Amino acid sequence: MIQTTARPRGPAGAVETPLPGDPRLRAWIAFLKAHAAVTRRLEAELEAERGLSLADYDALVQLSVAEGRRLRMSELAERVVLSRSGVSRLVDRLEADGLVQRVACPSDARGLWAQLTPAGLDRLRDATPVHLRGVEAHFLAPIAEEDREPLVRALEAVTRHLAAAGEPDLPACATPETLQP
């Protein structure tokens, strides 16, 4: 029988420690180890073959799939899981390389978009085969075909659950198209 609750250690009221057989801990540790191992491999391949970090690539992907190929800086930060200052530094690097440009938000003088440039889209297209090959080899290959869709559903369920309990969406920044009469 697997114990699934932590046992108290030390005097009454002391913090509990997890039991090694706790399936919650096993699932969490497996997720963290897999994530770390896969991202290290993907990062190394993108850097070696295309001179892009995984964060650079992810930012280019997020911008490419966004409407108008642009996102508010805060939205980009959320999508690439960086702090606002971290995404600002990332966009600084991408902008210096001509892959992204900052565009003022016409309806909010304080707001900025990060917008994918044609050069950024070209760089993304060049790097995508390397990235997808790595995703297939390091992430999907060890997972049986019939287990892939349940895995996607489980991860999406976690994301939906956390989004439902999270912060409200930021106010939308009007696009030039929506400002026209």
Side-chain angles (χ1 to χ4, degrees):
M1 179 173 144
I2 297 175
Q3 285 185 292
T4 60
T5 58
R7 59 180 174 250
R9 299 277 181 179
V15 176
E16 295 180 349
T17 58
L19 295 174
D22 189 326
R24 297 167 297 182
L25 188 60
R26 183 171 169 243
W28 179 244
I29 290 171
F31 168 77
L32 290 177
K33 285 182 175 181
H35 178 268
V38 170
T39 55
R40 276 194 302 268
R41 292 274 178 100
L42 296 175
E43 174 91 33
E45 290 172 356
L46 277 171
E47 283 284 357
E49 296 182 41
R50 295 299 186 265
L52 277 178
S53 72
L54 189 55
D56 294 345
Y57 179 81
D58 189 24
L60 296 177
V61 167
Q62 296 304 325
L63 291 170
S64 76
V65 300
E67 185 178 335
R69 293 194 171 131
R70 62 182 163 224
L71 290 168
R72 288 180 72 104
M73 295 289 284
S74 55
E75 292 171 314
L76 181 59
E78 186 175 303
R79 290 188 187 194
V80 298
V81 194
L82 286 174
S83 67
R84 288 183 186 191
S85 62
V87 83
S88 184
R89 288 188 299 273
L90 173 66
V91 170
D92 286 344
R93 290 192 312 270
L94 295 173
E95 192 171 34
D97 290 341
L99 307 178
V100 169
Q101 63 184 358
R102 283 182 171 89
V103 178
C105 175
S107 64
D108 178 1
R110 297 167 297 152
L112 284 177
W113 281 314
Q115 183 165 356
L116 188 64
T117 64
L121 185 57
D122 288 345
R123 188 80 181 273
L124 174 63
R125 288 177 175 150
D126 180 59
T128 293
V130 173
H131 180 68
L132 293 180
R133 182 188 71 222
V135 168
E136 178 61 39
H138 309 306
F139 181 63
L140 294 174
I143 301 171
E145 187 71 38
E146 63 273 10
D147 292 337
R148 291 180 183 184
E149 190 55 34
L151 174 63
V152 170
R153 285 195 307 272
L155 294 172
E156 288 174 342
V158 171
T159 302
R160 280 191 309 276
H161 171 75
L162 294 174
E167 298 177 17
D169 288 340
L170 295 169
C173 182
T175 66
E177 296 80 22
T178 61
L179 292 176
Q180 294 176 358

